[in-house]
Amino acid sequence: MKYLYDKHIVLDGVDLKIKEGEILGILGPNGCGKTTLLRNLNKNLSPKGGCILLNDMDMKDIQKKDVAKEIAVVPQTNEINFSFTVRDIVSMGRMPFQSMMGGESREDKAIIDSAMERTGVMKFADRHINTMSGGERQRVIIARAIAQTPKIILMDEPTLHLDISMQFDALNLVYKLSREQGLTVVIVSHDLGMVARYCDRIIMLHDHKVYAVGTPHEVLTPDNMRVVFNVDAELVFDEKIGKHTVMLHDSLNTI
């Protein structure tokens, strides 16, 4: 797959397969094309070369509404300027399944309630979204995505504006939902430790191309992190949590 802004190459020769039920990290420094790749996966952008297949069909031949029945998005920012309630926001996840003149069905309401219960926001159902903290809003946005009943959730820097405890809350929730329901999750990030902790596989982008792909152990090598992120780092196993993380020793930049 290839993508250009004007004549500037943003993605070049990207070839990847997303496995059903996995948590896949798309990892790379700022400006490497991560968000552009995610927007192509959701049909917000269209490749300038190659194609993207969904259920063995070229996405250019699939209506956006039908894509939304398969793929939900948790965007980079959760700022909402209108005074919607939490239930209003979560209910928006059912829009791809409703006609222009139709309202919520009994099934829609049951799915909305279930999404709010599973994400812990039912107690906020009548609260206005613009009165909530960033972490609370992120749970609501995840609930909206769950209400879409998707097979795939795309997350763009999902912890970017959250404090540390809220980062763990949001990602532990997504990890649990993926394992319990077989959801495929794609997380775009530049956070080495986060993708090591939560992702089954990693696509590492560098210079607008796929530089490495595989498990965290295969991708997060000292050499790869040195080349792509210009840091001295290593993948280590944290016995306390039973998962891998990345230990950063130093930036290789000189002042």
Side-chain angles (χ1 to χ4, degrees), residues 50-87:
C51 65
I52 298 173
L53 301 179
L54 177 63
N55 299 328
D56 296 323
M57 291 182 60
D58 192 329
M59 282 184 65
K60 71 179 178 60
D61 299 323
I62 306 175
Q63 294 293 320
K64 192 71 169 67
K65 185 174 182 178
D66 292 325
V67 172
K69 293 177 181 179
E70 301 281 335
I71 300 174
V73 177
V74 176
Q76 191 174 109
T77 178
N78 58 29
E79 289 296 329
I80 298 170
N81 295 321
F82 296 97
S83 189
F84 294 112
T85 67
V86 167
R87 183 176 290 278

Side-chain angles (χ1 to χ4, degrees), residues 18-196:
I18 301 171
K19 300 177 182 178
E20 184 176 352
E22 75 173 342
I23 300 179
L24 175 70
I26 299 177
L27 180 67
N30 291 336
C32 71
K34 301 186 302 295
T35 295
T36 298
L37 176 55
L38 204 71
R39 294 182 69 192
N40 274 272
L41 294 177
N42 191 41
K43 205 182 176 181
N44 283 340
L45 297 175
S46 299
K48 306 303 181 183
C51 65
I52 298 173
L53 301 179
L54 177 63
N55 299 328
D56 296 323
M57 291 182 60
D58 192 329
M59 282 184 65
K60 71 179 178 60
D61 299 323
I62 306 175
Q63 294 293 320
K64 192 71 169 67
K65 185 174 182 178
D66 292 325
V67 172
K69 293 177 181 179
E70 301 281 335
I71 300 174
V73 177
V74 176
Q76 191 174 109
T77 178
N78 58 29
E79 289 296 329
I80 298 170
N81 295 321
F82 296 97
S83 189
F84 294 112
T85 67
V86 167
R87 183 176 290 278
D88 290 336
I89 297 293
V90 179
S91 297
M92 292 174 188
R94 299 308 301 160
M95 291 177 64
F97 302 89
Q98 298 168 355
S99 66
M100 291 291 292
M101 302 301 292
E104 292 175 4
S105 67
R106 182 177 299 178
E107 180 184 13
D108 289 330
K109 292 177 181 178
I111 290 170
I112 292 163
D113 285 347
S114 176
M116 289 195 293
E117 289 284 1
R118 281 183 284 167
T119 53
V121 300
M122 177 61 85
K123 60 188 175 184
F124 303 131
D126 297 320
R127 187 169 165 184
H128 289 94
I129 190 76
N130 54 8
T131 69
M132 304 177 78
S133 71
E136 291 169 338
R137 285 198 304 271
Q138 191 74 321
R139 278 187 170 264
V140 175
I141 300 305
I142 293 171
R144 180 182 66 185
I146 296 300
Q148 271 181 246
T149 57
K151 295 178 181 176
I152 302 168
I153 294 181
L154 306 179
M155 308 185 78
D156 188 5
E157 301 281 9
T159 61
L160 188 62
H161 303 293
L162 303 182
D163 62 34
I164 294 174
S165 65
M166 290 296 182
Q167 291 178 21
F168 285 122
D169 283 350
L171 290 171
N172 286 337
L173 170 62
V174 171
Y175 184 88
K176 180 181 179 183
L177 291 170
S178 174
R179 292 303 180 253
E180 290 180 350
Q181 301 176 38
L183 282 173
T184 302
V185 181
V186 179
I187 302 176
V188 159
S189 182
H190 62 270
D191 187 325
L192 294 163
M194 187 269 282
V195 297

